[in-house]
Amino acid sequence: MIKKRKADIILVLFILLSVIILWLIIEFVVKKSGNDNQVLIKSDGEVICQLPLNVNKSVTVEGYKGGYNVVVIEDGKVSMYEADCPDKLCVKTGNISKTGETIVCLPHRIVVEIKGNDREVDDIVQ
């Protein structure tokens, strides 16, 4: 009985350590921050605008059925500053600044996403 308990503890510690390592890899290798990143704003699947992350700007976006959201780019971070949706989860998301991070407003069908530069080649298909 004691050996089984010890093996369970080792397994749990191994899984926990694996999760921490994977999180660190994703956070610091996959999600890159940089001044050459772009902010992509989509409304109902269509790209409304694409702006550089290193320029301070405020954009009001009209969403689905006349709703609006205010997207603010400031100091290399993007946030949904204001929205007239009922739950305001998009506003509560806070700032994003790394490649792949998104802010989504489901009622207005608005997505704000940070895209990295396309200068790096991921794969070559022949």
Side-chain angles (χ1 to χ4, degrees):
M1 197 74 167
I2 293 175
K3 288 184 179 182
K4 187 176 182 182
R5 187 176 290 171
K6 185 176 180 180
D8 289 344
I9 291 172
I10 291 172
L11 179 64
V12 168
L13 288 174
F14 175 75
I15 291 172
L16 185 63
L17 183 63
S18 298
V19 168
I20 291 171
I21 289 171
L22 286 173
W23 178 78
L24 288 172
I25 289 171
I26 290 171
E27 192 65 29
F28 295 107
V29 176
V30 176
K31 292 182 178 178
K32 296 179 182 176
S33 59
N35 289 336
D36 56 347
N37 288 344
Q38 298 286 314
V39 177
L40 197 65
I41 302 173
K42 298 178 187 176
S43 177
D44 206 13
E46 294 183 28
V47 176
I48 300 298
C49 63
Q50 185 170 347
L51 303 166
L53 186 60
N54 59 356
V55 175
N56 294 346
K57 188 163 184 153
S58 177
V59 178
T60 301
V61 182
E62 186 174 329
Y64 181 69
K65 292 189 178 178
Y68 76 92
N69 294 60
V70 178
V71 179
V72 175
I73 304 170
E74 190 172 58
D75 299 328
K77 297 179 182 178
V78 182
S79 64
M80 192 77 72
Y81 181 75
E82 186 181 344
D84 66 346
C85 55
D87 56 7
K88 300 204 186 328
L89 288 176
C90 53
V91 176
K92 295 174 187 174
T93 300
N95 296 327
I96 60 174
S97 61
K98 296 182 180 176
T99 303
E101 291 182 325
T102 59
I103 300 173
V104 178
C105 181
L106 286 177
H108 295 160
R109 300 180 183 176
I110 294 175
V111 177
V112 178
E113 180 180 6
I114 297 181
K115 290 283 197 181
N117 60 9
D118 292 335
R119 286 180 269 178
E120 296 179 17
V121 175
D122 289 339
D123 289 320
I124 297 176
V125 179
Q126 294 181 348

